[in-house]
Amino acid sequence: RPDLYRWGSWLMVLAVVPSILKGQDQASNGSNGHAQAKAELDRAERHLRMPSNVDSAMTCFRSAISIWSALGDQDHLDSATLWVGNALLGSGHSDSAEVVMNDFLADLIARKDTADQAGALSVLGLIYYGQSDFPRAIEAYDKAGRFARATGQLVSSGRNLNNLGLIYKEMARYDQADDLFAKAVSAYQEGGDTTASSIPWLNMAESAIDKVAYSRAENLVRKGLACL
């Protein structure tokens, strides 16, 4: 699990950066401040291609945050803060990531921003899962999934349901895990990501193998592969 946890965190970081850059391109409108912030993110992204350069990446990123804060650009500031949490987590600084994300979550709650709360809670779920703090991971993923569905982020809802299922599976609570995996399949498919729905199908197959239900496992694997 530690290797998957570490690389999963870095993939989240790299997935968030392009969306920030895309949004920044759309919002710049020739502003020198926005152009400077984008340049800092470009540098941060290059540094992140080598995990050993995370300190340099964070320096660039803090510069971008300062610029957006001075400009009063809340949307980019929020995206940036979420990125910082992922970056810290991916570089192995989970305690610092937890502090950043809890502060961010408190600010989002004060602003009643439920859409971004889903993202912050999802990162906290990953942090707590990596710490084997299952009760807090379950609470974070459950809230993240509910906020994601309420704000129309169905694929994100499916991801959180699948992560919840993995926790219950690790605790050998297979019936609850399978129920969550089935809900994840539905959320992924409802959100239009049929390919991603293969993941909870295959997780259900692993649960069946754990229970020595090999015929059921074979059937579930077929269902998962049919989504690819």
Side-chain angles (χ1 to χ4, degrees):
R1 189 180 69 189
D3 289 341
L4 291 174
Y5 168 71
R6 181 177 181 82
W7 285 108
S9 302
W10 278 108
L11 290 172
M12 289 175 68
V13 171
L14 296 177
V16 170
V17 171
S19 66
I20 298 174
L21 296 179
K22 181 179 179 182
Q24 179 58 58
D25 285 339
Q26 294 170 345
S28 62
N29 295 321
S31 164
N32 288 336
H34 282 294
Q36 291 170 8
K38 180 182 181 301
E40 292 297 331
L41 281 183
D42 285 336
R43 294 189 190 98
E45 185 182 15
R46 287 195 294 272
H47 286 307
L48 276 175
R49 291 172 186 166
M50 295 184 63
S52 60
N53 288 347
V54 69
D55 289 339
S56 297
M58 292 301 296
T59 297
C60 295
F61 191 71
R62 290 189 188 99
S63 177
I65 286 180
S66 296
I67 293 168
W68 279 321
S69 181
L71 292 172
D73 190 334
Q74 191 65 57
D75 287 343
H76 285 95
L77 189 57
D78 287 348
S79 295
T81 305
L82 186 61
W83 187 91
V84 167
N86 278 306
L88 287 168
L89 181 59
S91 62
H93 302 289
S94 64
D95 290 343
S96 297
E98 183 179 350
V99 172
V100 169
M101 297 316 299
N102 274 314
D103 287 346
F104 182 40
L105 182 61
D107 179 57
L108 292 170
I109 291 171
R111 289 191 276 123
K112 299 182 180 179
D113 185 341
T114 54
D116 283 335
Q117 281 183 57
L121 285 162
S122 184
V123 177
L124 282 168
L126 182 60
I127 291 170
Y128 298 142
Y129 179 67
Q131 297 170 349
S132 296
D133 188 342
F134 292 159
R136 285 204 294 175
I138 288 170
E139 181 182 6
Y141 280 135
D142 179 61
K143 288 181 178 178
R146 287 189 281 111
F147 281 134
R149 174 164 284 278
T151 54
Q153 303 174 74
L154 297 176
V155 172
S156 176
S157 175
R159 188 178 306 116
N160 283 291
L161 287 165
N162 181 71
N163 288 339
L164 270 174
L166 288 173
I167 295 173
Y168 281 106
K169 177 178 174 294
E170 189 157 339
M171 294 189 297
R173 293 166 63 174
Y174 296 112
D175 289 344
Q176 289 168 286
D178 287 349
D179 180 60
L180 289 161
F181 291 143
K183 289 178 180 178
V185 169
S186 297
Y188 277 131
Q189 292 180 346
E190 190 178 350
D193 196 340
T194 302
T195 300
S197 68
S198 65
I199 299 170
W201 280 125
L202 296 175
N203 285 331
M204 276 191 274
E206 288 189 5
S207 291
I209 291 171
D210 288 348
K211 294 186 290 185
V212 199
Y214 297 124
S215 296
R216 172 174 165 76
E218 184 178 355
N219 182 50
L220 291 166
V221 168
R222 288 198 183 97
K223 287 183 177 181
L225 294 178
C227 297
L228 298 176

